[in-house]
Short mmCIF file of all heavy atoms in Angstrom, two decimals:
data_model
loop_
_atom_site.label_atom_id
_atom_site.label_comp_id
_atom_site.label_asym_id
_atom_site.label_seq_id
_atom_site.Cartn_x
_atom_site.Cartn_y
_atom_site.Cartn_z
N SER B 2 106.52 163.28 10.32
CA SER B 2 105.50 162.35 10.88
C SER B 2 104.17 162.98 10.97
O SER B 2 103.12 162.23 11.07
CB SER B 2 105.95 161.90 12.31
OG SER B 2 105.92 163.09 13.11
N GLY B 3 104.04 164.30 10.91
CA GLY B 3 102.74 164.94 11.04
C GLY B 3 102.52 165.40 12.44
O GLY B 3 101.59 166.09 12.74
N VAL B 4 103.39 165.04 13.39
CA VAL B 4 103.34 165.50 14.81
C VAL B 4 104.21 166.68 14.96
O VAL B 4 105.45 166.62 14.60
CB VAL B 4 103.78 164.31 15.77
CG1 VAL B 4 103.72 164.81 17.24
CG2 VAL B 4 102.89 163.04 15.59
N THR B 5 103.69 167.74 15.50
CA THR B 5 104.55 168.95 15.76
C THR B 5 104.72 169.20 17.24
O THR B 5 103.87 168.90 18.05
CB THR B 5 103.90 170.16 15.04
OG1 THR B 5 102.64 170.39 15.65
CG2 THR B 5 103.73 169.92 13.52
N GLN B 6 105.89 169.71 17.57
CA GLN B 6 106.25 169.96 18.93
C GLN B 6 106.92 171.35 18.98
O GLN B 6 107.74 171.64 18.08
CB GLN B 6 107.29 168.94 19.47
CG GLN B 6 106.62 167.61 19.80
CD GLN B 6 107.54 166.70 20.52
OE1 GLN B 6 108.05 165.71 20.03
NE2 GLN B 6 107.83 167.04 21.82
N THR B 7 106.54 172.14 19.99
CA THR B 7 107.22 173.39 20.19
C THR B 7 107.50 173.61 21.65
O THR B 7 106.72 173.05 22.49
CB THR B 7 106.29 174.60 19.67
OG1 THR B 7 105.06 174.48 20.34
CG2 THR B 7 106.11 174.62 18.17
N PRO B 8 108.49 174.26 22.08
CA PRO B 8 109.60 174.73 21.22
C PRO B 8 110.56 173.57 20.80
O PRO B 8 110.43 172.52 21.41
CB PRO B 8 110.31 175.81 22.04
CG PRO B 8 110.09 175.31 23.46
CD PRO B 8 108.79 174.67 23.50
N LYS B 9 111.44 173.83 19.97
CA LYS B 9 112.45 172.81 19.61
C LYS B 9 113.59 172.70 20.61
O LYS B 9 114.05 171.64 20.99
CB LYS B 9 113.08 173.09 18.21
CG LYS B 9 113.83 171.95 17.69
CD LYS B 9 114.13 172.02 16.18
CE LYS B 9 115.02 170.92 15.69
NZ LYS B 9 114.36 169.64 15.84
N HIS B 10 113.87 173.91 21.12
CA HIS B 10 114.96 173.96 22.23
C HIS B 10 114.45 174.85 23.34
O HIS B 10 113.72 175.81 23.09
CB HIS B 10 116.28 174.56 21.63
CG HIS B 10 116.88 173.80 20.54
ND1 HIS B 10 117.63 172.65 20.70
CD2 HIS B 10 116.71 173.91 19.19
CE1 HIS B 10 118.01 172.24 19.56
NE2 HIS B 10 117.48 172.92 18.55
N LEU B 11 114.89 174.58 24.52
CA LEU B 11 114.42 175.35 25.73
C LEU B 11 115.60 175.27 26.71
O LEU B 11 116.05 174.19 27.14
CB LEU B 11 113.18 174.69 26.28
CG LEU B 11 112.27 175.52 27.24
CD1 LEU B 11 112.01 176.94 26.62
CD2 LEU B 11 111.01 174.76 27.44
N ILE B 12 116.04 176.50 27.12
CA ILE B 12 117.07 176.59 28.13
C ILE B 12 116.50 177.40 29.25
O ILE B 12 115.93 178.48 29.09
CB ILE B 12 118.39 177.24 27.62
CG1 ILE B 12 118.90 176.57 26.43
CG2 ILE B 12 119.42 177.40 28.70
CD1 ILE B 12 120.09 177.19 25.72
N THR B 13 116.56 176.79 30.49
CA THR B 13 116.06 177.44 31.68
C THR B 13 116.80 177.19 32.86
O THR B 13 117.83 176.42 32.80
CB THR B 13 114.56 177.07 31.77
OG1 THR B 13 113.94 177.85 32.86
CG2 THR B 13 114.54 175.56 32.28
N ALA B 14 116.50 177.81 33.98
CA ALA B 14 117.31 177.59 35.21
C ALA B 14 116.49 176.70 36.15
O ALA B 14 115.33 176.46 36.11
CB ALA B 14 117.39 178.96 35.86
#
Side-chain angles (χ1 to χ4, degrees):
Chain B
S2 66
V4 178
T5 60
Q6 287 187 250
T7 57
K9 191 164 177 63
H10 301 276
L11 200 48
I12 302 175
T13 188

